[in-house]
Amino acid sequence: MLDINTVLEYFPLLLKGAAKTIVVSLSALVVSTILGLVVGLARATRLPGLYPLTVAYVEILRSLPTLVLLFLVFYAIPAVMGFNLQAFPAAVLALGVSGSAPMAEIVRGGIEAVSAGQWEAAHSLGMRYTTILRYVALPQALRISLPPAISLYVAMIKDSSLILIVGVVELTNTGMQIRGLSRGRGTLLVFTVMAAMYFVICYTIAYAGSRLERRIRV
Amino acid sequence: MSQVNFGALSPYIPQLLAGLWLTILISGAAVAISLPLGLGGALLRTSRYRVLRTITAAYVQVVRNVPLVLILFLVFFELANAGFPLPPAMAAVAALSINGSAYATEIFRGGLAGIPPGQYEAAYSLGFRPVQVFRYVVLPQLMLISFPALGNQVVGTVLASSVVFFVGVEELSSASNQIGSKTFRYFEVFMIAGLMYVIAAQAINFTWVRVGRRWTVTESARKAA
């Protein structure tokens, strides 16, 4: 069970899997940050016409398991629309969309946390709404949003383990393949090494986040 | 391109409902186990003994930085390797509880930090014993502070329970996948399953807010009286 040879033999594969996990999560992270910013801004500024849509978007996506989104994006929607989606873009899209709903809430929370006095002061200086948003509200809102955004990024890296279901060979999938190749021998150590790799990836993000947070503190 | 036809799924509705029921059972069990564990964890996390604080902090950090799927595989495959095979549903509940207890520990720890030290001092000076301080002074306030975050945790557990799919428990996601592979109506079945998840999550949110509001009102009324 604690067969060190299995780990040594497959270590390069595990590293490759970890690299894939990082690539997928970073791509998904970009997607969810962009989508989340757009939706969160539209929701916080109560953009006419779009507001109910943003509420529905956030509420529905927050109530769907990532796994169901993966199935919808990879199997279900291509089947009825009649196109094919590769596993990698499907995984990035599903993870990104799934993360965009909490991201939108984080952005909205950040904007709403900027005190009313800031808005009033900017208004009385004669600034226009978009100018206030750009130069007064957003710089403060993004600082406020950073810590919860970092937690979300960590959660998204962990969620990337679900994409083994669509056949992307990331870290967890690699582990399952090794389990098959070694017929279950030495897998406790393999799983432990995998857990350690996830820990290092997530912890690095969290650490970098807290450093950044300290640097941009107002 | 196939025609969307929800009607074709009507024979499978009982199977989906059975899956939903199993999802509720598994996540309910996981919540029932992880919340008390989290409360205990938060007490250990703020204990005056350094060893206990360090161990709980390490537990929380490790669990929060490792994917739930991996915890599930460790529990399911490695316990079986070690000679203690768990049925898939039990392994699922165990993995969800391990995961949930770490998050609940953080929630309750935050709650404990929100109780002013004066409360403890007042209670002790009134001659309360430590158990009484906890039961009558700390716990009611702690529950009040932590209540909203615990609601998110419950919803999170229901959604996270979909990963038990990977060890073959036939809950909602797994049942949907089986029906999908049998009928090739992945779109229809996952739209229905998605709708069920949304309804379940919103129902929990709604009830939680309602209960929380009533509870908060009675608590503050009691305080005012």
Side-chain angles (χ1 to χ4, degrees):
Chain A
M1 196 165 60
L2 279 171
D3 186 0
I4 187 99
N5 288 325
T6 314
V7 172
L8 291 178
E9 189 183 343
Y10 294 110
F11 198 71
L13 269 186
L14 284 173
L15 278 182
K16 235 176 103 184
K20 193 77 167 188
T21 287
I22 295 176
V23 172
V24 172
S25 326
L26 284 184
S27 320
L29 210 141
V30 171
V31 173
S32 63
T33 305
I34 295 172
L35 277 177
L37 267 174
V38 172
V39 176
L41 259 174
R43 192 169 177 186
T45 55
R46 309 205 153 231
L47 217 59
L50 276 182
Y51 179 72
L53 283 181
T54 59
V55 175
Y57 181 90
V58 168
E59 286 306 322
I60 290 174
L61 284 177
R62 276 212 307 181
S63 314
L64 279 181
T66 311
L67 207 56
V68 169
L69 268 175
L70 268 168
F71 272 114
L72 280 173
V73 171
F74 187 64
Y75 294 108
I77 294 174
V80 289
M81 305 284 273
F83 64 88
N84 260 320
L85 201 53
Q86 297 283 308
F88 184 83
V92 170
L93 191 62
L95 286 175
V97 168
S98 148
S100 71
M103 193 62 190
E105 283 300 270
I106 291 170
V107 171
R108 179 179 72 110
I111 294 174
E112 286 173 359
V114 174
S115 68
Q118 298 278 330
W119 283 91
E120 289 159 8
H123 269 303
S124 66
L125 286 172
M127 292 165 100
R128 263 184 305 175
Y129 186 83
T130 44
T131 318
I132 302 176
L133 204 58
R134 164 73 187 78
Y135 292 100
V136 181
L138 269 184
Q140 299 183 65
L142 293 182
R143 281 189 179 89
I144 299 169
S145 308
L146 187 64
I150 296 295
S151 305
L152 176 65
Y153 292 158
V154 170
M156 285 181 63
I157 294 168
K158 294 197 296 168
D159 269 358
S160 76
S161 58
L162 298 173
I163 65 175
L164 85 102
I165 198 84
V166 297
V168 177
V169 189
E170 39 66 70
L171 189 47
T172 303
N173 202 343
T174 309
M176 290 314 274
Q177 290 186 356
I178 295 173
R179 183 170 176 274
L181 291 171
S182 66
R183 282 178 231 89
R185 266 195 335 179
T187 47
L188 178 58
L189 211 53
V190 172
F191 282 154
T192 312
V193 170
M194 282 160 61
M197 286 178 166
Y198 273 113
F199 185 86
V200 169
I201 300 171
C202 294
Y203 208 80
T204 310
I205 295 270
Y207 181 74
S210 65
R211 286 298 293 268
L212 183 64
E213 199 186 315
R214 225 169 301 152
R215 267 191 48 193
I216 63 170
R217 189 173 291 164
V218 213
Chain B
M1 186 159 161
S2 61
Q3 205 69 43
V4 177
N5 179 1
F6 282 96
L9 283 180
S10 52
Y12 297 98
I13 292 297
Q15 197 182 342
L16 278 176
L17 287 175
L20 177 63
W21 178 234
L22 200 51
T23 288
I24 294 171
L25 281 184
I26 287 175
S27 29
V31 166
I33 295 171
S34 59
L35 293 194
L37 278 182
L39 184 56
L43 291 177
L44 292 177
R45 185 82 177 73
T46 51
S47 141
R48 81 181 92 159
Y49 301 107
R50 195 178 173 168
V51 194
L52 296 179
R53 286 203 307 266
T54 316
I55 292 174
T56 20
Y59 173 79
V60 170
Q61 281 296 352
V62 168
V63 172
R64 289 212 309 174
N65 287 304
V66 171
L68 175 57
V69 184
L70 197 50
I71 296 174
L72 180 65
F73 286 162
L74 273 167
V75 171
F76 186 64
F77 294 125
E78 294 311 322
L79 276 185
N81 265 356
F84 306 99
L86 280 186
M90 293 264 283
V93 172
L96 282 168
S97 304
I98 291 172
N99 191 55
S101 62
Y103 285 92
T105 299
E106 282 302 281
I107 293 175
F108 283 125
R109 184 178 71 105
L112 282 176
I115 297 173
Q119 294 282 327
Y120 293 89
E121 289 157 14
Y124 278 115
S125 69
L126 285 171
F128 279 39
R129 275 176 293 136
V131 181
Q132 291 174 316
V133 175
F134 179 72
R135 168 69 188 81
Y136 296 106
V137 180
V138 175
L139 196 57
Q141 300 187 60
L142 178 60
M143 292 313 284
L144 219 54
I145 300 174
S146 311
F147 199 73
L150 291 177
N152 290 336
Q153 162 96 359
V154 174
V155 173
T157 308
V158 173
L159 301 188
S161 76
S162 62
V163 310
V164 308
F165 168 87
F166 286 109
V167 292
V169 181
E170 214 186 300
E171 42 65 72
L172 188 47
S173 295
S174 175
S176 309
N177 185 42
Q178 285 190 10
I179 297 168
S181 60
K182 218 182 291 172
T183 60
F184 291 104
R185 299 211 171 271
Y186 278 101
F187 180 76
E188 292 88 333
V189 75
F190 274 101
M191 288 305 273
I192 296 176
L195 187 66
M196 286 180 171
Y197 275 114
V198 171
I199 292 173
Q202 296 296 336
I204 294 169
N205 273 338
F206 182 80
T207 337
W208 206 267
V209 170
R210 278 300 153 91
V211 171
R213 204 178 293 154
R214 174 167 305 175
W215 199 13
T216 319
V217 169
T218 37
E219 279 293 318
S220 44
R222 203 178 299 156
K223 264 183 210 148

